[in-house]
Amino acid sequence: MSKKVLVLPGDGIGPEITAEAVSVLERVRDKFSIDLELDHALVGGGAIDKFGVPLPDETLSKAKEVDAILLGAVGGPKWDSLDMAIRPEKGLLGLRSGLQLFGNLRPAILYPQLAEASTLKPEVVSGLDILIVRELTGGIYFGQPRGIRTLENGERQGYNTYVYSESEIRRIGRVAFEAARKRGGKLCSVDKANVLEVTVLWREIMDEMSKEYPDVELSHMYVDNAAMQLVRAPKQFDVIVTGNMFGDILSDAAAMLTGSIGMLPSASLDESGKGMYEPCHGSAPDIAGQGIANPLATILSVAMMLRYSLNEIEAADAIEVAVSQVLDSGLRTGDIYSEGCRKVSTNEMGKAVLEALA
Ligand code: NAD
């Protein structure tokens, strides 16, 4: 049966970078004889301009029917003065909640060729390859009750609730164990079990699940130590799994270890493995339309899509190898340029990946 992918180019540099990523997807489709159908739809500012809403019903229903979604980026100054409820970013949130994408996968990979881009010493980060698995739809960001109340003495008090049910922990655990199995076989679960009961339960469930995954080596770490270890010796990690808030903070810190936002892909998965794949960066309105954006984060998002939603591991590996070869050959877009390299456009970078795939 053919697999279906919906492409949502979005705004700003979105259309430029997704065009290159789609060419790469089409190339591996032909090379590895993958039965694949592509469709396109509008989301974000472009959808507001045409339909008055950031996530038209047609886009959401198409998104529900496919196996995976490739998204560029949304937003830009043109729509910044709109009411919060119909801003481009609401399109993304609508997709995440409408499709119940609870598992956020954020790799932080530092190609040795780009080690100089990091603010950390090259020997600490060169060759870094971590995957952070963050729970995306639960935890303290969504727990009820929440709010700001006035106490009897007249003082105001803010409060939130940190909750995770067993099934929520189990489903993100499954994503993380499966990912670790496909990578280096090591999983570190990050919690605050010395203080928070909710993470005592988190830890218990991870331990229970590890019996189903004897091939994955499970360890536990408190979040404060994890933050420290990420900047001290990040290469000790393979896969990290954690809740929504800890994951929010740790994944941004890990991304910045690499120093190059134009290189970082991401995935958000539902229970069946269906996913939305997108670069970690935004729509970069400051460089949109100039043909100079780095398409590699989006191209690497295609590799993630092939690995995690379409189960085409060979094709995913081929794209990652091709990107590394292109970097070896010294081609760089402006954001990752350093002296001695050759500066190329978005399209030249995309073409170079296609050639490396041939
Ligand atoms: P941004 O990531 O778009 O840009 C930050 C900086 O990084 C800019 O200087 C930009 O030129 C550069 N940059 C980003 N991607 C690049 C690439 N591929 N190649 C080269 N340089 C790149 O973040 P921002 O400026 O804070 O946000 C701009 C718009 O994007 C806003 O409207 C914001 O809401 C939106 N946004 C969307 C998403 C998303 O669609 N997932 C995520 C973040 C921000």
Side-chain angles (χ1 to χ4, degrees), residues 13 73-76 89 92 261-262 278 281-287 293-294 335:
I13 59 169
V74 297
E89 292 75 8
L92 281 192
I261 195 157
E278 56 182 310
H281 58 74
S283 59
D286 53 331
I287 57 165
N294 187 349
D335 57 310

Side-chain angles (χ1 to χ4, degrees), residues 320-332:
E320 286 162 2
V321 168
V323 167
S324 190
Q325 280 172 3
V326 168
L327 294 175
D328 276 339
S329 71
L331 300 194
R332 303 282 189 271

Side-chain angles (χ1 to χ4, degrees), residues 9-12 42-56 73-76 78-80 82 86-92 283:
D11 311 312
L42 287 175
V43 71
I48 295 173
D49 289 349
K50 188 150 184 215
F51 300 105
V53 287
L55 180 60
V74 297
K78 182 177 175 192
W79 304 281
D80 277 352
L82 291 178
I86 55 152
R87 288 261 186 98
E89 292 75 8
K90 284 281 172 196
L92 281 192
S283 59

